Amino acid sequence: MLTITQALVDQIVAHARKDHPDEACGVVAGPAGSDRPERFIPMLNAAMSPTFYEFDSGDLLKLYREMDDRDEEPVVIYHSHTATEAYPSRTDVSYANEPGAHYVLVSTADTDGLGDFQFRSYRIVEGEITEEEVTVVEAY
């Protein structure tokens, strides 16, 4: 289960809406071993594509060095889908190399008639996708 603050959800959704029609992507870091997302880090989609996202390799290296210096890890890795539901694609699964992370997908397309976005979280381990419950809290 992913427990995340409303403020972080709002930041992730706002980033997805801002970058639309391109996919948005980023990380929410937290203290190593805590499973608690705390620090919102929007990233540039180097692919600048409405159907694909890619972290810039230089930005990603800088981010991992910074997280290491702060004793943090990527708790949430997020990106958006602009025309499809919030479910990992085969490409998303192939890039999922953090088995401890929550992979959050935000769809900015109303694919289910429930509103203008979906916010869903998954664990992706060795190619296996497992959707998990998301609990939104005001504070930890």
Side-chain angles (χ1 to χ4, degrees), residues 3-134:
T3 301
I4 188 168
T5 63
Q6 184 65 58
L8 286 169
V9 170
D10 293 346
Q11 288 177 295
I12 292 169
V13 171
H15 184 202
R17 287 180 171 153
K18 181 178 80 67
D19 283 11
H20 188 87
D22 289 339
E23 289 191 4
C25 58
V27 172
V28 183
S34 72
D35 198 38
R36 190 175 65 232
E38 292 184 351
R39 189 166 63 97
F40 175 71
I41 308 159
M43 303 285 285
L44 173 70
N45 177 356
M48 295 184 173
S49 167
T51 59
F52 178 73
Y53 84 97
E54 182 177 29
F55 291 116
D56 177 84
S57 59
D59 289 348
L60 199 57
L61 180 61
K62 180 181 170 192
L63 171 63
Y64 272 80
R65 285 181 175 156
E66 182 180 289
M67 286 189 299
D68 191 48
D69 289 345
R70 296 171 63 123
D71 199 25
E72 293 177 327
E73 63 188 4
V75 177
V76 169
I77 298 173
Y78 74 87
H79 76 280
S80 62
H81 284 180
T82 60
T84 59
E85 71 173 321
Y87 189 83
S89 69
R90 278 179 290 182
T91 303
D92 298 339
V93 172
S94 72
Y95 283 147
N97 60 1
E98 287 285 349
H102 302 270
Y103 285 88
V104 165
L105 278 111
V106 174
S107 175
T108 53
D110 182 6
T111 57
D112 60 6
L114 297 177
D116 59 353
F117 74 92
Q118 297 174 345
F119 187 100
R120 295 167 71 184
S121 184
Y122 303 88
R123 294 291 192 157
I124 305 174
V125 179
E126 295 181 6
E128 185 175 325
I129 303 166
T130 305
E131 187 165 7
E132 62 183 353
E133 182 181 334
V134 176

